[in-house]
Amino acid sequence: MNISTIRLPLEPNSWRADFPILSRPVRDGQPLVYLDNAATTQRPRQVIQAIVDTYENHYANVHRGIHWLSDQSTDLFEDARQKISKFINANSEQEVIFTTGTTMAINLVARSWGDANIRTGDEILLTEMEHHANLVPWHQLQERTDCRLRHIPITDDGQLNLATLDTLLTDRTRLVSITHVSNVLGTINPVAEIVARAHAAGAIVLVDAAQSAPHSPLDVQQLDADFVAFSGHKMMGPSGVGVLYGKQSLLEAMPPFLGGGNMIRRVKLDRFEPADLPAKFEAGTPPIVPAIGLGAAIDYLLQVGLQKIHDYEQVLTQYAHETLGRIPEFHSLGPAPERKAGIVSFTMDGIHPHDVAQLLDRHGIAVRAGHHCAMPLHKKLGITASSRASFYFYNTPAEIDQLAAALEDALRVFRRR
Ligand code: PMP
């Protein structure tokens, strides 16, 4: 691929100027090459400004009708919910629950829906490529209910082996909970197909969209997913806020997860009546400013264009595979680039992944090393750790060249030892 002659789906440099941190020198004055976007993304000035503006001008607790400032804060908070609802094409804002992130969203479903619906011997179908956030809540549910956890295996090239679905989906399967995009392999899973097959077998489906919602268009109605979870901080929003989307009929039938203020209609000394959606699942003071910041991040994402982001990251990923693939010691994990999102996890012959990350850091290049909260997947791959470069639309092909040069340099350092 001759990157200089390709017409890129978007021009990263025209957006980079909005991100103050991307022009901040790191270490000994080197430019930052931020390739750790699957862990968390950076924020543009517009999001930072929305946060500052809320604190400086509109901040109060969100209790409509109490006082003028509180009305402003409530309006901004509910506007953010509306933006998210439109962003994912939910049927109504009632289906958008603010959580602290993907982890809490999945735990909410496991505790509330799980405890109410799962009985001994019922089956929950997961996959071998899940993040711990989509494994441990189900282990805990298994401890409480003695349900059975089953897993869709992965193929040698890191895709879900859907040939196994017919036997794995049984009349005991109640829930299929799957990641849309693997945070290690980058694999984009055929979620719509899995949803259709799960529904045909009588199971509902939760989609972990932590790695997909920030990078490509997400239409919950088109997917027909029953629950979808994602995190604000992976899509340029603040940390401390995330979303659980749920179909209204399911959410209405579920008992509240956390108890406290805001989630009630009425409280007596001996009992309570829960509030309507979405308040029923938002006990206590919600992440007011983070939610407003997430609304600003969504405005920004829509300006860039989700399809363009997806298409551009495809080009970056293909370019990364090609460029890094020329290094004989480099081995990427997961499928061919056309089948993955902008996540390139890899191992290097002769260098431990943590050493790779440390040596790259000397060049101002930020990548992640370790098990990336997917220990069972690494075990399946026969490794304990990997290094991971993950992209966003503000990354450039030149940064991939820098990564390749720094990896060559790391090899030279290790050969000298
Ligand atoms: N699922 C996936 C696929 C992820 O990549 C992550 C974050 N690494 C999570 C869940 C958990 O997200 P959070 O820590 O924001 O709750």
Side-chain angles (χ1 to χ4, degrees):
M1 175 188 283
N2 186 348
I3 198 84
S4 56
T5 60
I6 286 178
R7 202 165 164 267
L8 297 173
L10 62 75
E11 178 42 66
N13 289 314
S14 67
W15 300 105
R16 281 179 76 87
D18 287 335
F19 293 77
I21 207 166
L22 295 181
S23 53
R24 179 194 189 282
V26 291
R27 297 207 153 263
D28 317 317
Q30 302 182 78
L32 169 67
V33 176
Y34 188 76
L35 301 177
D36 195 16
N37 294 286
T40 199
T41 53
Q42 300 297 348
R43 280 118 204 82
R45 227 173 240 116
Q46 290 82 339
V47 170
I48 298 167
Q49 199 46 48
I51 295 165
V52 172
D53 181 52
T54 306
Y55 279 126
E56 287 188 348
N57 297 301
H58 311 292
Y59 183 72
N61 211 328
V62 283
H63 301 294
R64 202 180 285 281
I66 302 293
H67 54 74
W68 185 81
L69 206 52
S70 169
D71 283 351
Q72 288 205 351
S73 180
T74 307
D75 285 348
L76 288 172
F77 179 69
E78 291 302 329
D79 276 356
R81 194 191 306 276
Q82 206 165 37
K83 285 175 190 173
I84 293 160
S85 173
K86 270 181 73 176
F87 180 71
I88 60 173
N89 192 31
N91 235 325
S92 87
E93 289 110 76
Q94 315 250 77
E95 297 182 320
V96 174
I97 312 292
F98 281 119
T99 65
T100 57
T102 306
T103 303
M104 181 179 160
I106 298 173
N107 275 275
L108 191 164
V109 175
R111 286 274 170 184
S112 169
W113 180 87
D115 284 2
N117 291 282
I118 296 296
R119 302 283 168 265
T120 303
D122 283 348
E123 293 173 8
I124 292 175
L125 184 56
L126 310 168
T127 82
E128 288 181 339
M129 63 168 78
E130 298 308 316
H131 186 281
H132 296 166
N134 195 28
L135 290 171
V136 180
W138 309 115
H139 294 149
Q140 293 173 307
L141 181 64
Q142 184 183 37
E143 284 168 10
R144 295 196 297 279
T145 65
D146 208 17
C147 64
R148 179 171 181 210
L149 305 182
R150 306 187 76 183
H151 302 89
I152 305 174
I154 57 167
T155 57
D156 287 346
D157 70 342
Q159 300 191 64
L160 291 180
N161 181 352
L162 293 188
T164 63
L165 254 194
D166 282 337
T167 45
L168 284 171
L169 281 170
T170 73
D171 58 358
R172 295 306 303 264
T173 313
R174 299 281 170 264
L175 172 75
V176 179
S177 191
I178 44 166
T179 193
H180 197 170
V181 167
S182 160
N183 67 313
V184 178
L185 305 168
T187 318
I188 303 170
N189 290 321
V191 165
E193 180 192 342
I194 296 169
V195 170
R197 290 175 71 179
H199 283 172
I204 62 167
V205 180
L206 184 157
V207 178
D208 173 350
Q211 297 293 350
S212 61
H215 301 276
S216 53
L218 175 64
D219 184 328
V220 293
Q221 292 193 65
Q222 201 179 359
L223 284 182
D224 199 21
D226 300 284
F227 297 110
V228 177
F230 53 95
S231 300
H233 69 97
K234 291 189 200 281
M235 52 205 296
M236 300 180 291
S239 59
V241 67
V243 171
L244 172 68
Y245 157 84
K247 282 185 182 162
Q248 189 155 347
S249 55
L250 277 166
L251 291 174
E252 273 173 353
M254 282 157 54
F257 167 43
L258 298 174
N262 191 53
M263 50 70 74
I264 48 87
R265 184 196 305 278
R266 207 166 287 113
V267 178
K268 297 191 173 173
L269 280 180
D270 58 350
R271 81 191 97 103
F272 75 97
E273 261 176 61
D276 290 336
L277 293 174
K280 181 167 88 170
F281 291 108
E282 293 179 355
T285 298
I288 302 168
V289 181
I292 294 167
L294 177 54
I298 283 175
D299 288 341
Y300 192 89
L301 271 170
L302 293 173
Q303 224 186 318
V304 184
L306 270 294
Q307 192 59 49
K308 281 189 185 167
I309 293 175
H310 170 81
D311 294 348
Y312 177 63
E313 288 175 12
Q314 279 285 308
V315 175
L316 275 187
T317 306
Q318 296 224 11
Y319 184 64
H321 270 247
E322 240 183 70
T323 310
L324 304 173
R326 284 191 210 110
I327 304 171
E329 292 83 353
F330 170 91
H331 305 284
S332 72
L333 308 179
E338 315 79 79
R339 296 187 170 271
K340 62 199 270 183
I343 293 175
V344 179
S345 294
F346 58 96
T347 56
M348 296 287 289
D349 291 341
I351 320 183
H352 190 278
H354 283 112
D355 293 329
V356 169
Q358 250 176 25
L359 289 164
L360 292 177
D361 185 48
R362 286 191 195 170
H363 297 262
I365 301 175
V367 300
R368 179 92 180 260
H371 52 64
H372 318 301
C373 297
M375 286 173 97
L377 173 62
H378 278 80
K379 185 157 193 280
K380 169 89 181 189
L381 298 171
I383 52 180
T384 51
S386 57
S387 309
R388 179 181 72 188
S390 52
F391 314 130
Y392 213 11
F393 62 91
Y394 44 62
N395 289 123
T396 64
E399 289 180 311
I400 290 170
D401 293 337
Q402 282 172 273
L403 172 63
L407 284 175
E408 299 272 21
D409 191 56
L411 285 165
R412 278 192 290 275
V413 169
F414 261 73
R415 278 192 209 111
R416 257 186 261 126
R417 285 189 179 171

